[in-house]
């Protein structure tokens, strides 16, 4: 299991990737790595999916 610092770093890296103008298609961590989940959460936080409740 990854340490807390590694998870925070992965979250911040995901946020930074989400803020970039060029979309990133691949997470740098393996599918069985807990840091992948943190990276994806950071990416989604910085680049949320649009929700349309009026349709």
């Amino acid at each position: 299991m990854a340490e807390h610092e590694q998870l925070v770093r992965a979250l911040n890296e995901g946020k930074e990737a989400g803020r970039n103008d060029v979309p990133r298609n691949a997470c740098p961590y393996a599918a069985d790595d807990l840091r992948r989940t943190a990276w994806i959460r950071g990416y989604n936080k910085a680049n949320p999916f649009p929700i349309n409740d009026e349709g």
Side-chain angles (χ1 to χ4, degrees):
M1 189 165 164
E3 294 182 18
H4 179 73
E5 295 87 13
Q6 292 176 332
L7 294 176
V8 171
R9 184 176 300 135
L11 182 73
N12 291 333
E13 288 173 358
K15 282 183 188 177
E16 185 65 30
R19 288 186 194 121
N20 290 340
D21 291 335
V22 179
R24 184 173 182 149
N25 294 332
C27 175
Y29 300 107
D32 61 345
D33 193 335
L34 189 57
R35 293 175 295 175
R36 181 180 182 91
T37 302
W39 188 93
I40 292 170
R41 290 184 70 173
Y43 186 90
N44 286 337
K45 186 177 257 188
N47 191 9
F49 295 104
I51 297 174
N52 185 1
D53 290 338
E54 299 176 6

